[in-house]
């Protein structure tokens, strides 16, 4: 029996610009069940981070948000007022941002920020909040936790700051933790440590994650389900095992093939995603991926694919649609 903690139906995000309307998110749906990790992956500009910000009500005032439904447990996020959203953020829903130096206040000591977070949402003494902060700093692998409480963010390394951000997110025992590219600003060895830590915390505390990433390799051992976004649409969703074993959408296969070469001067192989990412202000007609798809036909250029749902997931591709003239049957 599943227990849906977050449900989003037909979410659309448009941003007015001087060049026209930027269609950042174009009618996406997803459900997140308690205890699982749903990872939304895609290239920069696909709309994944804006989707996360839309959930917790942190969009810029110029961004136009529409949806048929958006619920966090019993809370209707479309109708929630500012006070309700403030009570949710940092309390029942917490977020780990990509760069902790932009999230931690440089003018306040680490301990003060941790203590304030708990006292804002719970009726506890300063000493109780301090003990909770110490407990979590040790839990996330920070040594000499007592002394760290008296330090400022700039006195910590990038890896330690990110561990502090994780402790900060856990202060109020949230029901949902949103992680937006939490390892991108870290070197590879520290990335691995943070990912392992997030996995351990999920198992220990029964956490539910919405994990945002541009790198499929990062989420392979952390996610339970993956939603692949392209130009504001979810083009494929499946369990992490099915997605890696049998990717159905050409874009997913291209992402899996886009691995950095050992020589950094060589960049990303041109064979995976050779042409430039489309302009979301003027998206391609038909299937949005057709300009970069090696399997695209004239039909793909004029007719958009419909969402196809199955017990194992969903996909938007003519090649997978039994009603499409391009369908060639199950080749698995």
């Amino acid at each position: 029996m599943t227990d849906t903690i977050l449900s989003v139906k037909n979410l659309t995000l448009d941003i007015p610009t001087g060049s026209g309307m930027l269609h950042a998110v174009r009618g996406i749906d997803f459900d997140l069940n308690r205890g699982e990790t749903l990872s939304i992956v895609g290239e920069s500009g696909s709309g994944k981070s804006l989707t996360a910000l839309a959930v917790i009500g942190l969009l810029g005032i110029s961004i136009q948000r529409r949806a048929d439904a958006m619920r966090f447990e019993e809370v209707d996020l479309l109708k929630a007022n500012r006070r309700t959203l403030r009570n949710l953020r940092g309390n029942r829903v917490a977020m780990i941002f990509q760069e902790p130096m932009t999230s931690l206040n440089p003018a306040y000591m680490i301990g003060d920020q941790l203590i304030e977070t708990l006292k804002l949402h719970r009726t506890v003494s300063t000493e109780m909040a301090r003990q909770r902060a110490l407990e979590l700093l040790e839990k996330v692998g920070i040594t000499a936790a007592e002394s760290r409480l008296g330090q400022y963010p700039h006195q910590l390394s990038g890896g330690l700051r990110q561990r502090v951000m994780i402790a900060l997110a856990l202060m109020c025992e949230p029901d949902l933790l949103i992680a937006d590219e939490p390892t991108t600003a870290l070197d590879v060895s520290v990335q691995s440590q943070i990912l392992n830590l997030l996995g351990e915390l999920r198992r220990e505390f029964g956490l539910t994650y919405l994990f945002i990433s541009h790198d499929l390799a990062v989420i392979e051992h952390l996610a339970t389900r993956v939603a692949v976004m392209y130009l504001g649409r979810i083009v494929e969703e499946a369990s992490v095992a099915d997605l890696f074993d049998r990717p159905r959408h050409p874009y997913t296969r291209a992402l899996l093939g886009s691995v950095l070469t050992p020589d950094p001067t060589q960049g990303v192989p041109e064979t995976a995603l050779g042409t430039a990412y489309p302009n979301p202000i003027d998206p391609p007609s038909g299937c949005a991926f057709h300009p970069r798809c090696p399997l695209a036909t004239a039909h793909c250029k004029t007719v958009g694919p419909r969402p196809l749902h199955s017990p194992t997931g969903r996909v938007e591709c003519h090649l997978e649609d039994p009603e499409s003239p391009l369908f060639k049957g199950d080749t698995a």
Side-chain angles (χ1 to χ4, degrees):
M1 181 177 180
T2 60
D3 180 10
T4 300
I5 190 172
L6 176 66
S7 182
V8 175
K9 305 297 180 188
N10 197 27
L11 173 65
T12 297
L13 300 174
D14 291 323
I15 307 173
T17 73
S19 303
M21 188 66 75
L22 190 154
H23 307 291
V25 175
R26 302 185 298 136
I28 66 169
D29 309 296
F30 64 88
D31 290 324
L32 177 57
N33 298 320
R34 188 177 298 278
E36 73 174 353
T37 297
L38 172 64
S39 183
I40 300 179
V41 298
E43 293 170 275
S44 297
S46 61
K48 56 191 187 297
S49 291
L50 281 177
T51 297
L53 293 175
V55 168
I56 57 175
L58 287 179
L59 293 171
I61 58 174
S62 65
I63 299 178
Q64 301 172 9
R65 183 189 71 177
R66 297 184 302 278
D68 292 342
M70 195 158 68
R71 298 190 67 86
F72 169 73
E73 294 190 319
E74 78 285 355
V75 180
D76 186 336
L77 297 173
L78 296 176
K79 297 179 180 178
N81 57 31
R82 291 182 180 178
R83 181 176 181 180
T84 299
L85 291 174
R86 281 198 302 268
N87 288 336
L88 281 178
R89 289 193 294 260
N91 183 16
R92 298 176 62 194
V93 181
M95 190 159 185
I96 304 170
F97 292 93
Q98 181 176 148
E99 176 46 71
M101 274 302 285
T102 63
S103 304
L104 294 169
N105 192 322
Y108 290 89
M109 291 183 290
I110 296 300
D112 291 338
Q113 298 184 56
L114 291 165
I115 291 167
E116 180 187 23
T117 298
L118 186 58
K119 294 188 71 174
L120 181 65
H121 297 288
R122 301 283 192 275
T123 304
V124 298
S125 67
T126 299
E127 182 56 29
M128 288 180 65
R130 186 175 184 277
Q131 288 303 313
R132 171 72 173 167
L134 280 172
E135 173 191 332
L136 286 174
L137 288 182
E138 292 172 352
K139 184 69 68 177
V140 299
I142 294 180
T143 58
E146 183 85 34
S147 65
R148 301 297 185 187
L149 293 178
Q151 291 184 313
Y152 292 88
H154 73 272
Q155 294 177 289
L156 305 179
S157 67
L160 284 178
R161 286 195 294 266
Q162 197 60 287
R163 289 174 186 267
V164 169
M165 279 299 301
I166 295 171
L168 189 67
L170 295 175
M171 283 295 289
C172 295
E173 301 178 272
D175 298 301
L176 171 63
L177 201 157
I178 301 173
D180 185 11
E181 305 263 18
T183 62
T184 299
L186 306 174
D187 64 51
V188 175
S189 61
V190 179
Q191 277 189 26
S192 179
Q193 294 171 17
I194 296 298
L195 290 171
N196 289 336
L197 172 62
L198 291 173
E200 292 168 5
L201 293 172
R202 182 189 66 188
R203 291 185 290 272
E204 181 173 350
F205 294 106
L207 294 172
T208 303
Y209 286 146
L210 179 62
F211 196 96
I212 308 299
S213 180
H214 68 277
D215 187 350
L216 279 167
V218 165
I219 54 86
E220 183 176 3
H221 302 293
L222 182 68
T224 49
R225 284 192 301 126
V226 183
V228 180
M229 281 193 77
Y230 185 78
L231 205 66
R233 291 285 299 169
I234 293 178
V235 297
E236 182 169 2
E237 182 184 344
S239 71
V240 67
D242 286 342
L243 192 94
F244 278 82
D245 290 345
R246 186 182 177 273
R248 301 171 66 191
H249 198 283
Y251 179 58
T252 307
R253 292 195 289 271
L255 283 182
L256 288 168
S258 296
V259 179
L260 288 175
T261 61
D263 182 355
T265 64
Q266 298 301 310
V268 177
E270 289 293 326
T271 54
L273 287 167
T275 59
Y277 196 78
N279 184 353
I281 295 177
D282 184 24
S285 59
C287 173
F289 187 56
H290 85 255
R292 308 171 82 187
C293 181
L295 304 176
T297 69
H299 184 76
C300 303
K301 298 176 183 179
T302 57
V303 180
R306 65 190 181 108
L308 301 167
H309 297 266
S310 71
T312 59
R314 58 173 162 159
V315 66
E316 293 186 3
C317 181
H318 290 300
L319 297 173
E320 297 283 333
D321 188 352
E323 297 184 9
S324 167
L326 304 182
F327 181 68
K328 295 183 180 180
D330 190 350
T331 58

